[in-house]
Amino acid sequence: MPGTDPARVCAITFTNRAAAEVRERLAAAAGEAAGQVFVGTFHRFCLDWLRREDPDRVVVGDESRQRLLRRLFPELGVRERNGLAEEIADFLHRDNGGDAPEPVRLYLDELARRGAMDLDDVVPALIRRLRGDETFRRRVCAGVAHLFVDEFQDLNAPQYALVEILGEEATIFAIGDPDQAIYGFRGSDPSFFFRFADLPATRRLDLSRNYRSAAPLVEAASAVIAHNRLRSGISLTPATAREGAIELYRAPTPAAEAEFIVRRIEELMGGISSFSIASGRGGDQDSRRSFGDIAILYRLARQADELANALDRRGIPFQLVGAVPYFLGPVAGAATRFVRAAAGSTELAEWLALAQDLPGVGEGTIRRLEEALPLTGDFPALVAGVELPPPVAHRMAELTALLERFRSVAGREGIAPALGEALTLFGTDQGHADCRRLLALAGSFGRDIVAFDRHLREYAAETVYDERAEAVALMTLHASKGLEFPVVFLAGCEEGLIPCTLWRDVDVEEERRLFYVGMTRAKETLVLSASSERPWVSPAERPLSRFAGEIPGRLIRQPEPGRGGRRKPKGEQLDLF
């Protein structure tokens, strides 16, 4: 709008990656003025305001949270501590004025005593400040004249409370799709979307054209989501007239399901080896795909092993998305922690994890340091004041010296050469794929260690999908949101997995939304597969998912692996049982 002060425009996203994309587009459209617009996550917005009042505010992440829980509740095992961490997050994700459960209260009180706060408490903390300090509230609201919120259906209670407060002064533009609300386990609630949409001052614009998926896929997904009571009510129409296909295959076992998927990929690829082509396994040579065109989605991460093994046996490259990022894995994790230390991390839990990677530093030393050190500070200076066995003290001094050398080499020659030299400290194989990938990434940041560290931190908690990789993508349904592929395999379409009823009361409507999200990732071909049994699911024999049964039968065809070629829908209901 003409005359708008860009410094009073705020765009809030849910991921750092989305924020980066918005910044790029703004810079292209608005030039220098784009740099004055706040673009970031809810956490970043709230933390920026909190740190204006308290610049030294300490925020505790996962590693420090686990360290503190170990000290407060030494009697708990790993599983119990993880359960308590989830209970803490659940409490903080609610806009709850009530009393916290006793263990949660002890944890939050200990943080307050140390002048720290939990990462999940960042948004609630700002809400508490806004509600309790009218002067501060007016100052924050005056700084936001126009508020843009993406993925509005994923808001939890504290986030919606922030939008309500800012909306007292600002105009709000919200975009979202309640049919894709899939994060109830993180406290999100699609009812906030409808509450906002029903406000008298809200003008609602329905976006009903689907520009991604072929007509049969749009019709099938619409038929499935229509079974939900809480939904958008929008009737989607495809914007493309291109042909699409939906296949449904039921295998006797998970291994057979994985082998079917591999064979079907070979057909779609037009053959990936001379044997495949000569034997007819290659399918239609005129309909070749690339590996990057294909994604395999599943409900639970545990399903990935069988699928990855089948792909590996056939030599099909793949990237496992949404698992622990490669740079935090067992091979490259030590190098990443080294970079964090070199960039000046003051979170001592990160330093302790790095120290534990050093030869000769055992669990006893780590426990002694945990008891003696605060949550944050200058680790080398603090550890020098702790009495340690001479060999361990030598290791700590050696670590400090190596970090100094790393900074020196990085400043002269770049991060990649410095990191390659440092990897020898941990006995890491630099030829491993994860190390090569980390070194290549480090090279793109030149000599800027801080920027490299910031990038690793921003993407550590997010789905890491490399769209440039010539590889089949394996990921959970949750991780697939926002992505699209010409061909999508949705594995494990059976009761117990989708909807998932294995460990908690199931919200069938949210599980249906999750299935809908998976279906609408496909642009042209959607292949649904299921196993008649799943040994680690009780009972082992599984009926087909009710959601697959909600797809009109005339839209589904039965694949015939090994026959090759493209086949049109037969226009009849499959006999699935």
Side-chain angles (χ1 to χ4, degrees), residues 120-131:
D120 286 327
D121 197 28
V122 169
V123 180
L126 184 67
I127 299 302
R128 292 193 297 271
R129 183 70 191 278
L130 290 169
R131 288 172 173 167

Side-chain angles (χ1 to χ4, degrees), residues 148-155 173-177 193 196 207:
F148 296 80
V149 185
D150 191 18
E151 303 287 4
F152 203 85
Q153 77 281 349
D154 293 330
L155 266 62
F173 179 91
I175 188 166
D177 180 359
F193 180 97
F196 179 80
L207 306 178

Side-chain angles (χ1 to χ4, degrees), residues 375-411:
L375 290 174
T376 61
D378 183 343
F379 179 81
L382 290 168
V383 80
V386 180
E387 186 175 347
L388 296 170
V392 176
H394 175 73
R395 280 293 184 191
M396 296 301 173
E398 184 181 51
L399 174 61
T400 301
L402 285 167
L403 286 166
E404 287 298 329
R405 175 167 175 76
F406 174 82
R407 296 185 190 102
S408 176
V409 174

Side-chain angles (χ1 to χ4, degrees), residues 236-256:
L236 291 179
T237 57
T240 175
R242 67 177 183 273
E243 292 186 2
I246 302 172
E247 302 174 4
L248 178 57
Y249 179 81
R250 195 160 192 209
T253 66

Side-chain angles (χ1 to χ4, degrees), residues 12-70:
I12 294 183
T13 67
F14 269 82
T15 67
N16 289 301
R17 174 171 290 188
E21 292 175 357
V22 172
R23 289 191 202 100
E24 290 177 5
R25 296 184 184 187
L26 272 178
E32 292 184 6
Q36 301 177 56
V37 176
F38 173 88
V39 181
T41 63
F42 276 98
H43 276 85
R44 174 51 55 194
F45 177 87
C46 294
L47 191 57
D48 283 356
W49 275 103
L50 290 170
R51 282 186 167 156
R52 291 185 195 188
E53 303 296 308
D54 181 5
D56 298 323
R57 184 178 291 265
V58 173
V59 178
V60 168
D62 290 339
E63 290 187 6
S64 289
R65 181 190 299 124
Q66 286 292 335
R67 177 186 164 200
L68 192 54
L69 290 177
R70 280 198 302 270

